[in-house]
Amino acid sequence: MISTKTTLAGIHFDNCLMNAAGVYCYDASELNQIQNSMAGTFVTKTGTVTPRTGNQVPRYRATHLGSINSMGLPNKGLQYYMDYISQQQKAVPHKTYFQSIAGFNLAEDEYLLAQIQASDFTGVVELNLSCPNVPGKPQIGYDFETVEKILTRVFEVYRGPLGIKLPPYFDIVHFDQMATILNQFPLAFVNSVNSIGNGLIIDSLSERVTIKPKHGFGGIGGDYLKPTALANVHAFYQRLKPSIQIIGTGGIKSGQDAFEHILCGASMVQVGTALHAEGPQIFARLTAELKTIMYQKGYTTLTDFRGKLNYLD
Ligand code: RRO
């Protein structure tokens, strides 16, 4: 029997495929669709202290190679997602769910984590350190000192399984420096990567940008992102202590893409741009395609090939 089940933070998931935060997770109607799909679980839209409407539309555009977005963190507020997860924990108790969160400063991070700690939440927290789209707010993941400061405080106040969503890095020294910081903490996982921040996709016919916020600048996902995502997954897989697992996100639209992320070291894989394009039935297709590749290669579990990327020397 070929299986795509996985374990993360000591928790079992029937399938390693799930949505990426921001796609099909804004409200109960979208989350229900992921719940009713082949996805192993769901992550919510990143929840903030209070609800946000986000940036002006149009704020998402797909192309044949991927997507650009400047959503600006539209979300219903942490409490909404906590209530939804609480319901799901009761309705479907054999599954474990991910709550994505982001504060706008350390005090807000502490507040969000205190709310979760005080609730009946039994899931996994994904702290988003990489939103590229809030005007005037730089991506925390590129400020190494602040990352260390935040994680120091996070693990003083929060006891449950928690990981972080990181932006892509593009320099070997940055992989080394970030891994040295992350290895100091009892992180359950690192999710690599968020979108490539502040790209620009233009329409040459109209000579215009394609999304309205920030004069068209936005986070890039899809095919454009996959090689960068694979590099980040593998770089952190090589450098992080074994107790910090990797979630691979970026450019997954086929079973082969998921296979490659796992080969680079991912224990779980998330689908963003392709899920937006194809809808939650994509999880059945991706699972079947991944199983076909595993069958052809004689693999029965993800551990048969996870992280076993070969080099040319
Ligand atoms: O809402 C967004 O604009 C957004 C977020 Br929070 C994020 O983490 N990554 C992204 O591409 N868009």
Side-chain angles (χ1 to χ4, degrees):
M1 265 296 277
I2 296 169
S3 167
T4 57
K5 71 181 182 206
T6 193
T7 302
L8 192 93
I11 300 158
H12 172 87
F13 296 90
D14 284 342
N15 195 353
C16 64
L17 289 149
M18 63 183 290
N19 68 305
V23 183
Y24 273 91
C25 57
Y26 174 72
D27 59 14
S29 149
E30 291 188 353
L31 286 160
N32 285 341
Q33 294 179 64
I34 302 297
Q35 259 303 56
N36 295 325
S37 77
M38 281 282 288
T41 181
F42 64 74
V43 58
T44 69
K45 175 65 183 170
T46 299
T48 50
V49 172
T50 51
R52 292 169 53 86
T53 53
N55 295 340
Q56 285 188 301
V57 296
R59 58 192 185 183
Y60 185 98
R61 179 63 72 102
T63 76
H64 66 291
L65 290 175
S67 65
I68 184 167
N69 87 84
S70 183
M71 305 300 288
L73 211 29
N75 78 95
K76 288 183 156 297
L78 174 67
Q79 193 56 52
Y80 177 92
Y81 301 110
M82 296 296 292
D83 291 345
Y84 179 81
I85 290 179
S86 179
Q87 279 173 16
Q88 297 307 312
Q89 282 178 176
K90 288 175 190 124
V92 194
H94 67 276
K95 284 170 74 172
T96 302
Y97 308 104
F98 286 66
Q99 173 68 61
S100 172
I101 57 167
F104 285 106
N105 51 53
L106 192 50
E108 285 197 3
D109 287 336
E110 283 181 37
Y111 177 82
L112 292 164
L113 290 168
Q115 298 293 107
I116 299 171
Q117 192 85 72
S119 74
D120 64 356
F121 182 72
T122 58
V124 180
V125 173
E126 178 173 289
L127 177 63
N128 187 352
L129 298 181
S130 47
C131 176
N133 299 327
V134 180
K137 302 273 179 192
Q139 289 174 79
I140 295 164
Y142 290 134
D143 177 346
F144 290 22
E145 246 176 68
T146 301
V147 169
E148 187 167 1
K149 216 176 279 173
I150 288 173
L151 291 180
T152 300
R153 191 68 191 127
V154 159
F155 287 107
E156 284 165 2
V157 302
Y158 192 70
R159 299 275 156 248
L162 179 145
I164 52 174
K165 180 85 171 269
L166 290 176
Y169 300 98
F170 303 93
D171 195 293
I172 300 296
V173 170
H174 293 161
F175 292 136
D176 291 342
Q177 290 172 342
M178 186 47 70
T180 301
I181 292 169
L182 301 180
N183 276 330
Q184 299 173 56
F185 299 100
L187 284 159
F189 68 88
V190 157
N191 186 342
S192 284
V193 292
N194 209 318
S195 51
I196 296 176
N198 296 300
L200 192 56
I201 292 177
I202 64 174
D203 173 35
S204 59
L205 209 62
S206 63
E207 305 177 4
R208 277 197 312 213
V209 300
T210 52
I211 56 172
K212 186 162 180 181
K214 294 173 65 179
H215 287 174
F217 284 59
I220 303 294
D223 294 1
Y224 305 111
L225 178 58
K226 194 181 85 168
T228 296
L230 292 176
N232 276 258
V233 166
H234 196 57
F236 284 120
Y237 182 76
Q238 289 171 310
R239 288 166 176 77
L240 294 178
K241 57 189 179 185
S243 59
I244 306 181
Q245 290 175 275
I246 316 288
I247 298 180
T249 307
I252 295 171
K253 67 174 185 187
S254 69
Q256 184 181 318
D257 299 323
F259 179 84
E260 290 175 9
H261 268 265
I262 297 160
L263 196 64
C264 285
S267 293
M268 178 79 96
V269 287
Q270 296 186 342
V271 187
T273 296
L275 169 61
H276 190 279
E278 201 170 320
Q281 70 272 19
I282 194 174
F283 291 110
R285 177 175 69 78
L286 295 179
T287 305
E289 289 176 3
L290 177 56
K291 282 187 175 174
T292 298
I293 292 170
M294 290 171 67
Y295 173 77
Q296 287 164 347
K297 289 173 175 284
Y299 298 142
T300 54
T301 66
L302 303 191
T303 48
D304 293 341
F305 62 98
R306 178 183 302 124
K308 295 186 179 167
L309 181 64
N310 294 302
Y311 306 128
L312 298 185
D313 55 12

